[in-house]
Amino acid sequence: MFASHDGLCGIGELAERAGVSVKTVRFYSDNGLLPEASRSAGGHRRYGPDSLERLRLIRSLRTMDLPVSAVRRVLAEQDATGDAGRALEDAVAVRLRALGSHLTALRWREAALRSVQECPVAERPARLRLIGGVTAPPSTAPLARFWRAWLPPRMPARSVTAFLEAAVPRPPEDPEPSQVLAFAGLSALVSRPCGGREATQPRAHEAASPRASAVLYAGLAQAYDLAGREMRLNREPYPGEALDGFVDAYASALGTADTPDFRRGLARQLAADPRIDRYWELAAELAGGPAEPTPGTAHDWLLAALTARSEAAPRAHDG
């Protein structure tokens, strides 16, 4: 309670008690956050006994860097229900996400600067141009667009989503300079035609219907997973369950049988298809730590197994 005869106080006293400037109190009042109880005969603002506690709450919320719009929502819920819990929880969550994004951006900028600083002086201009194309925090949207253009048209959305989850690497929140460089390389790679060739899609996509595409990529995902298990055990490419699933994915999509002749033709076709090995190399570098199998390295493992098997198998007209 204020000591005045009417229980109200002026803007100067309120500001002094709250430890803020008069200008701050005026700002909050003008923005509707701190209502005035009345005006004096001379037109001076007068505030009620609840204003001090309200002003302290506003100051605390603003100290957490909450925007005025969020503070207004918190105060409105408190005025309506007597408890600002839900609105405050939402506002804090939004602010935490924003701060997390900001901190990630700062870490990426720091790692990018270290990448430039640590490379030979003669290479710095080129490296600066390369990493200058990466936003902070980095966006994977260009990588997703690249794969959407690569994948067959009219492919079912669920299959596209599943493939993108495997093919588009997640940038780390606290990267090393080498990871910033790898992501910058990926961004540069997907911004131009793969290998400088106009046709970048595998021939296996050309005749595939939407349903066949779904069958193909679902089968390939299973085959890549099986091959990945073999690769983690450091096993050389060999015929087995993974290769059978790999071949069956193509045979099912094309509506044909898995025969020795089909395998030989498939091996030749896949060997001649456009390759994006550099993409998978950079994706592995971005992942950091022990190299994990990627769809690209699993594909190479399976193709090596298919090629070796096809070359060893007798042709249909051989004795």
Side-chain angles (χ1 to χ4, degrees):
M1 178 70 68
F2 299 122
S4 62
H5 70 281
D6 58 1
L8 304 179
C9 78
I11 191 170
E13 182 183 351
L14 180 61
E16 183 178 358
R17 289 200 180 196
V20 299
S21 67
V22 169
K23 182 179 179 181
T24 297
V25 178
R26 186 177 295 114
F27 173 79
Y28 293 148
S29 293
D30 291 344
N31 280 275
L33 302 179
L34 188 65
E36 305 161 13
S38 65
R39 292 264 180 155
S40 68
H44 298 294
R45 304 172 197 245
R46 305 285 287 170
Y47 295 92
D50 295 334
S51 298
L52 180 58
E53 197 59 36
R54 187 180 184 91
L55 180 55
R56 285 172 175 164
L57 174 60
I58 295 171
R59 182 185 180 190
S60 297
L61 294 171
R62 292 290 288 159
T63 299
M64 290 192 296
D65 222 12
L66 294 181
V68 170
S69 58
V71 173
R72 181 176 287 108
R73 286 193 292 272
V74 172
L75 295 173
E77 182 166 325
Q78 180 170 271
D79 292 341
T81 67
D83 181 8
R86 179 61 181 272
L88 180 58
E89 181 181 347
D90 291 344
V92 169
V94 169
R95 187 60 192 152
L96 283 173
R97 286 195 295 271
L99 283 175
S101 179
H102 182 62
L103 290 173
T104 298
L106 289 177
R107 295 186 189 107
W108 271 79
R109 291 191 182 105
E110 179 187 19
L113 290 171
R114 287 169 53 199
S115 173
V116 174
Q117 184 182 53
E118 294 169 2
C119 77
V121 175
E123 297 177 12
R124 287 178 182 172
R127 179 161 298 187
L128 185 60
R129 286 193 297 271
L130 178 64
I131 65 175
V134 176
T135 60
S139 170
T140 58
L143 278 61
R145 285 196 297 270
F146 170 82
W147 283 113
R148 289 182 186 279
W150 175 280
L151 293 171
R154 302 180 306 281
M155 185 172 170
R158 183 180 300 178
S159 300
V160 172
T161 299
F163 184 87
L164 291 179
E165 288 178 355
V168 177
R170 184 183 299 274
E173 293 185 357
D174 190 6
E176 294 294 326
S178 60
Q179 292 175 302
V180 173
L181 194 59
F183 190 85
L186 280 174
S187 298
L189 180 67
V190 301
S191 68
R192 61 180 183 271
C194 181
R197 298 173 57 172
E198 293 183 2
T200 58
Q201 292 184 344
R203 289 176 56 200
H205 296 174
E206 294 176 358
S209 65
R211 180 182 178 282
S213 296
V215 170
L216 173 61
Y217 279 89
L220 290 180
Q222 294 177 2
Y224 292 159
D225 183 61
L226 292 172
R229 298 178 193 176
E230 303 297 328
M231 295 168 70
R232 292 186 186 93
L233 297 173
N234 294 318
R235 290 177 178 167
E236 294 295 321
Y238 74 97
E241 183 182 3
L243 179 59
D244 289 344
F246 182 67
V247 174
D248 182 67
Y250 284 101
S252 298
L254 296 172
T256 189
D258 177 3
T259 65
D261 282 342
F262 175 76
R263 292 196 173 206
R264 278 191 290 270
L266 180 63
R268 288 193 299 270
Q269 177 179 318
L270 294 179
D273 271 337
R275 309 306 304 278
I276 50 173
D277 291 344
R278 183 56 180 159
Y279 180 97
W280 299 115
E281 291 171 4
L282 291 169
E285 291 177 24
L286 181 63
E292 278 290 300
T294 65
T297 56
H299 183 92
D300 288 345
W301 190 95
L302 289 162
L303 179 56
L306 176 63
T307 301
R309 180 70 171 179
S310 299
E311 292 175 348
R315 297 184 181 277
H317 60 269
D318 291 343

